[in-house]
Amino acid sequence: MGNSLKAILAFAPSNKCQKYLLEDLEEMPVDKMVDLSGRQLRRLPLHICSFRDLVKLYLSDNNLNHLPPELEQLQNLQILALDFNNFKALPLVVCTLKQLCILYLGNNKLCSLPLELRLLQNLKTLWIESNCLQYLPEVVCELSLLKTLHAGSNALRTLPPQLQCLQELRTIWLSGNLLSEFPPVLLDMPFLEVIDVDRNSIRFFPSLAHLPGLKLVIYDHNPCRNAPKVAKGVRRVGRWSEETPEPRKRSGAVIEITLDEKPLLPPATKTEPE
């Protein structure tokens, strides 16, 4: 179906038009997954909320800005993808889905997250990249099982100290924010394995050699004059990493050696819960 026709039908409330958009999806699929990505939807068809055993629901790349209260019926849902839509606020009904393990909210217009997000205590992966966040909502620090946090391409200038309470957190992606210094709270999180602060405004990096769990740090595209020191075996991506020496003083001048290596980016594909 052409995108232009989908866009027209998305406005039509009739059951016939909605079934056309759903391509006759009348029964829950055997794999308990529904993918309605890229259908130009402006509202979620209520028929989907009747699939009470649904485990995965992908609504990416639509025109959604709200969700119906009937979504609460999907209490077995583990993966919900709402990225690439028009949400200015996270619908509170999402916070009633207490079995969620993975929540995709990237590429919307979110400026904050509701306190009710703390109800999602099974959440392990949260994608909030490419929104309008000027600060990391402290409610994120209450998601005790969170292992992966994607918060790149926002307007973050710092991180809350409460973040260190997330002792299950292993990877944090902060690329493309407004950090002017390396977030001090990350220095108190020895369990972190991946830290990405690519494309920020950090001028100096403290030593990260004391972080025993660290495996990878991405710090490229910062106006820094030093590389972060790391323990043996930890991979660095950025200027003066292990592949090239740090700048040396010669006759009073500092010689910068840049690394033309493409920085490692967060995984492009959606992950499954462990």
Side-chain angles (χ1 to χ4, degrees), residues 176-192:
N177 277 287
L178 301 176
L179 300 172
S180 60
E181 67 172 345
F182 186 84
V185 65
L186 300 185
L187 300 175
D188 296 323
M189 302 177 70
F191 33 81
L192 283 175

Side-chain angles (χ1 to χ4, degrees), residues 55-56 58 76-80 99-104 122-125 147 270-274:
V55 173
K56 306 172 187 177
Y58 295 94
N76 291 304
L77 206 62
Q78 296 181 23
I79 300 178
L80 178 59
Q99 298 304 314
L100 280 183
C101 297
I102 301 178
L103 179 58
Y104 298 99
N122 285 308
L123 206 62
K124 295 182 179 179
T125 299
K147 296 182 66 175
K270 293 181 169 62
T271 55
E272 302 289 330
E274 296 181 354

Side-chain angles (χ1 to χ4, degrees), residues 232-253:
K232 184 177 181 181
V234 178
R235 176 168 169 74
R236 299 182 297 180
V237 176
R239 293 191 298 173
W240 320 306
S241 61
E242 59 265 33
E243 289 84 358
T244 58
E246 293 196 27
R248 301 187 305 273
K249 287 188 177 180
R250 179 180 300 172
S251 301

Side-chain angles (χ1 to χ4, degrees), residues 8-237:
I8 295 173
L9 292 178
F11 283 103
S14 72
N15 290 331
K16 185 176 181 179
C17 289
Q18 291 301 305
K19 282 188 177 182
Y20 190 43
L21 286 170
L22 294 177
E23 297 178 359
D24 293 325
L25 181 61
E26 296 184 0
E27 297 182 359
M28 187 181 71
V30 177
D31 60 4
K32 299 181 180 181
M33 178 185 77
V34 170
D35 188 352
L36 298 178
S37 300
R39 304 290 184 94
Q40 303 293 322
L41 296 175
R42 295 182 180 272
R43 64 185 180 92
L44 177 65
L46 292 181
H47 181 60
I48 299 300
C49 299
S50 67
F51 298 161
R52 299 198 176 194
D53 291 330
L54 198 66
V55 173
K56 306 172 187 177
L57 177 57
Y58 295 94
L59 301 172
S60 307
D61 193 21
N62 282 292
N63 294 306
L64 300 172
N65 57 29
H66 69 282
L67 294 172
E70 288 82 357
L71 188 72
E72 186 177 2
Q73 299 175 27
L74 304 182
Q75 285 300 311
N76 291 304
L77 206 62
Q78 296 181 23
I79 300 178
L80 178 59
L82 300 175
D83 47 334
F84 293 93
N85 276 285
N86 293 317
F87 291 103
K88 294 182 179 180
L90 178 65
L92 293 183
V93 66
V94 172
C95 301
T96 68
L97 306 174
K98 297 182 180 180
Q99 298 304 314
L100 280 183
C101 297
I102 301 178
L103 179 58
Y104 298 99
L105 300 175
N107 292 90
N108 278 284
K109 301 173 183 178
L110 301 175
C111 295
S112 63
L113 294 174
L115 292 177
E116 288 81 357
L117 189 72
R118 62 165 63 106
L119 299 175
L120 302 182
Q121 284 299 309
N122 285 308
L123 206 62
K124 295 182 179 179
T125 299
L126 177 62
W127 294 62
I128 51 176
E129 78 285 2
S130 299
N131 276 286
C132 304
L133 298 170
Q134 296 184 10
Y135 63 93
L136 183 68
E138 292 184 7
V139 67
V140 172
C141 304
E142 299 185 43
L143 303 173
S144 59
L145 295 184
L146 198 66
K147 296 182 66 175
T148 302
L149 176 60
H150 294 263
S153 299
N154 280 285
L156 304 180
R157 296 180 181 274
T158 186
L159 297 180
Q162 296 90 331
L163 193 68
Q164 64 180 307
C165 296
L166 296 182
Q167 298 192 10
E168 296 298 321
L169 194 65
R170 296 296 179 266
T171 62
I172 183 166
W173 307 90
L174 299 167
S175 175
N177 277 287
L178 301 176
L179 300 172
S180 60
E181 67 172 345
F182 186 84
V185 65
L186 300 185
L187 300 175
D188 296 323
M189 302 177 70
F191 33 81
L192 283 175
E193 296 179 359
V194 177
I195 299 175
D196 175 18
V197 289
D198 183 31
R199 300 183 187 280
N200 277 278
S201 301
I202 301 173
R203 294 186 175 278
F204 174 78
F205 281 94
S207 174
L208 306 180
H210 66 289
L211 300 180
L214 195 61
K215 298 179 181 179
L216 170 66
V217 57
I218 306 172
Y219 64 96
D220 211 5
H221 304 99
N222 280 280
C224 56
R225 304 295 296 182
N226 73 306
K229 295 186 182 300
V230 295
K232 184 177 181 181
V234 178
R235 176 168 169 74
R236 299 182 297 180
V237 176

